[in-house]
Structure formats: structure tokens, C-alpha cells
Amino acid sequence: MSDATLHATGHNPDDFAVQIADQVESFLVAVTEVAKGDEPDSAVPFLLLEVSQLLLAGGRLGAHEDIVPDERYEPDLGPEADVDALRENLARLLEPIDVYSEVFDPYEPRKAPVPARISDDLADMITDLRHGMAHYRAGRTTEALWWWQFSYFSNWGPTASAVLRALQSILIHVRLNQPLEELDGLDTDQATMGDETLEFEAGRVMAQEIGGPLGMRPAKQKQK
């Protein structure tokens, strides 16, 4: 659904709900297109852009006063759409940079990083966002905003922030010509990892090995 289609609902394009719905829909469409794998060279930069724009919507929801749904109980939307195919396509597209390490709560002391997958996180975010979009398309605007705000705090907001940091790190290593250690040993089967474990688990994926498939050139070395 394009922005024009969303605006055709009769809402004012300047309305808060319409703007949030547009940003959510843009993310859903963009990630679905990326997962098709038609343009693998631009996948990471494009995902970085889309996640950044989504977090703008999340920031607006987070700064907004608490949104109270119209109904006491959430209407039944039926079964959630399956995202397994999208998840698997993203995992293939992003290999070998799919797995990254994350700290869930930076304010909890001595929390060890845990492994996560960009593909899993994006698929989970899409599930949350589609849920709210179903309410929006059914005309339950307040319910949609309530769900997007609630799930921003409880799930997709922190997840999107972690994915953004991972995508930024990939581009930083490539553009600044800083080789990454190899990621073959880093897997989500491991529950927790300390700094030493992460360092040991890393092998060597050179910047050109990542930059080549992603269509990016490492930054040139400065002349002395």
C-alpha cells in the first residue's frame, strides 16, 4: 500500500495517526522487498535507512502521552500472518553478518552480551507492526496507535534500536576499512557471552568480503 493509498482513507495527511501509519507501512513494504533478494548489493544500506525512519515513528510514539484504546478488550484479528519465509530469505541474504551481539538493558549492571539475528529481529518487528496495521485498516485508529505505542516500549522499539546499531557497525567497518573478525563461531545457540568469549568466537571476515557482496568499497587509506 502506497502513501497515497493510506491518505485516501479520508484522514488529513498531517494527522498524527496517518503519519505514523505511513511510516509503518513504508517499513513493511521496504523490508518485504529487500527480503526478495533482487538487489543484494544495497540491502544493508537500505535496511539502515528504513530502520532509522521507523525509529523516528517510534520516537514520536514514545514521546506521546499514553494512548488509551477505545475498547476495553482488543478485538480479535485472527491468526497472525506467517513471516517464516521472510525470515529465512533475510537470513540467506545477510549471511555471514546476520548474527550480532546485543546487550538487552544497558542500565542493568554486568549484563553479558547475547547473540541475536538481524533476520529474526526484523521478522519479529514486522509481526508487531502488521498487528497494528490490521487495526488501522479496519478503521480502529486509536487501537492501532495504542498497539504500536505499547509494542514500541515492550518489543519492537528496543529490537529496532539493536538492529540499527548492528547495521551501523557493518557499514562503519566497511566504509572505514576496519576488518571484522570472522563470525563463524558466533551463534544464537549460545545463551550468553562475555567480552573474552566474543573476541575468541570471532575469526576473520575482511572488509572486502563484506563490502564486495554488499556493493560497497572500503574507504581509501589516507596518503601519508
Side-chain angles (χ1 to χ4, degrees):
M1 181 185 294
S2 66
D3 290 354
T5 306
L6 280 175
H7 290 161
T9 59
H11 295 293
N12 185 336
D14 295 328
D15 185 75
F16 178 76
V18 174
Q19 292 175 357
I20 296 297
D22 279 354
Q23 290 179 293
V24 168
E25 183 69 12
S26 175
F27 179 82
L28 294 174
V29 171
V31 175
T32 302
E33 288 299 312
V34 169
K36 293 178 181 179
D38 295 336
E39 298 183 22
D41 292 348
S42 59
V44 168
F46 198 46
L47 287 173
L48 177 72
L49 177 62
E50 291 300 325
V51 174
S52 298
Q53 292 177 334
L54 178 67
L55 280 170
L56 173 60
R60 296 180 67 191
L61 287 164
H64 198 283
E65 62 184 4
D66 287 348
I67 299 168
V68 180
D70 295 328
E71 302 178 31
R72 182 175 180 182
Y73 299 103
E74 183 182 8
D76 184 14
L77 294 173
E80 300 283 358
D82 186 21
V83 295
D84 285 345
L86 181 142
R87 187 194 314 268
E88 292 169 3
N89 288 342
L90 286 171
R92 284 192 295 269
L93 181 65
L94 296 172
E95 190 179 5
I97 55 173
D98 192 24
V99 180
Y100 69 99
S101 59
E102 174 193 3
V103 176
F104 283 118
D105 190 339
Y107 284 98
E108 291 189 24
R110 293 181 297 278
K111 282 290 184 179
V114 297
R117 292 185 183 275
I118 296 175
S119 56
D120 288 346
D121 290 345
L122 289 173
D124 290 345
M125 290 161 58
I126 282 180
T127 298
D128 275 344
L129 297 170
R130 281 179 176 173
H131 188 94
M133 186 58 70
H135 284 305
Y136 185 82
R137 288 172 176 161
R140 295 186 291 269
T141 301
T142 304
E143 191 79 30
L145 289 173
W146 167 79
W147 173 258
W148 283 328
Q149 185 186 60
F150 167 75
S151 56
Y152 168 75
F153 287 123
S154 63
N155 188 40
W156 72 260
T159 300
S161 296
V163 169
L164 179 66
R165 185 70 184 93
L167 295 170
Q168 285 176 327
S169 181
I170 294 166
L171 293 181
I172 287 169
H173 281 287
V174 172
R175 296 290 173 83
L176 300 184
N177 197 20
Q178 297 173 348
L180 282 171
E181 304 290 338
E182 189 154 0
L183 306 176
D184 290 342
L186 182 59
D187 198 349
T188 54
D189 291 338
Q190 295 167 270
T192 59
M193 298 185 196
D195 292 340
E196 293 182 0
T197 307
L198 284 171
E199 183 178 355
F200 176 79
E201 290 293 345
R204 178 172 288 273
V205 171
M206 301 300 290
Q208 59 266 30
E209 293 180 4
I210 296 176
L214 297 180
M216 296 175 290
R217 295 180 180 178
K220 295 181 179 179
Q221 296 288 346
K222 293 182 178 179
Q223 297 293 331
K224 294 183 179 179

